């Protein structure tokens, strides 16, 4: 019984995480929310690098590199700089 409850809870969590990521990526594609969405995406990837839907988030970050918005590019640059620094110093 406890395992069934845990599985149901886990499924629900994953479903809501996926919905959150989809909404965040959809917001990132809107000019009004692009900056804040990209900051959220990068912060989430920094804080929880093993996040279930990190591949989806990384695709959005890589697509954002080519944006004309200097603020978004600097957020992405800082994210990659932190990522490389942390990975280099954890080896």
């Amino acid at each position: 019984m406890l395992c069934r409850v845990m599985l149901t809870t886990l499924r629900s969590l994953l479903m809501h995480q996926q919905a959150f990521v989809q909404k965040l990526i959809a917001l990132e594609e809107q000019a009004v929310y692009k900056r804040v969405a990209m900051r959220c995406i990068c912060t989430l990837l920094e804080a929880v690098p093993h996040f279930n839907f990190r591949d989806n988030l990384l695709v959005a970050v890589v697509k954002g590199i080519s944006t004309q918005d200097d603020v978004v590019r600097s957020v992405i640059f800082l994210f990659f700089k932190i990522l490389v620094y942390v990975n280099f110093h954890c080896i």
Side-chain angles (χ1 to χ4, degrees):
M1 180 69 176
L2 184 60
C3 285
R4 184 170 291 145
V5 171
M6 287 177 60
L7 278 173
T8 303
T9 304
L10 183 58
R11 274 193 213 115
S12 177
L13 177 65
L14 288 173
M15 182 180 71
H16 286 91
Q17 283 180 348
Q18 186 176 27
F20 172 75
V21 167
Q22 290 171 344
K23 181 68 172 175
L24 196 55
I25 290 171
L27 287 173
E28 188 272 330
E29 293 171 356
Q30 298 177 24
V32 176
Y33 300 110
K34 189 172 193 70
R35 289 179 180 181
V36 76
M38 188 55 71
R39 192 174 307 272
C40 288
I41 290 170
C42 290
T43 303
L44 179 58
L45 286 169
E46 286 172 29
V48 191
H50 56 278
F51 186 71
N52 289 320
F53 300 100
R54 68 183 169 271
D55 294 343
N56 304 60
L57 297 174
L58 283 170
V59 167
V61 171
V62 170
K63 280 181 12 184
I65 291 172
S66 64
T67 186
Q68 297 298 317
D69 189 333
D70 290 339
V71 174
V72 172
R73 279 200 320 261
S74 61
V75 166
I76 293 170
F77 172 75
L78 182 61
F79 163 70
F80 280 118
K81 187 176 176 181
I82 291 169
L83 189 69
V84 168
Y85 179 83
V86 168
N87 285 327
F88 179 75
H89 284 70
C90 288
I91 295 175

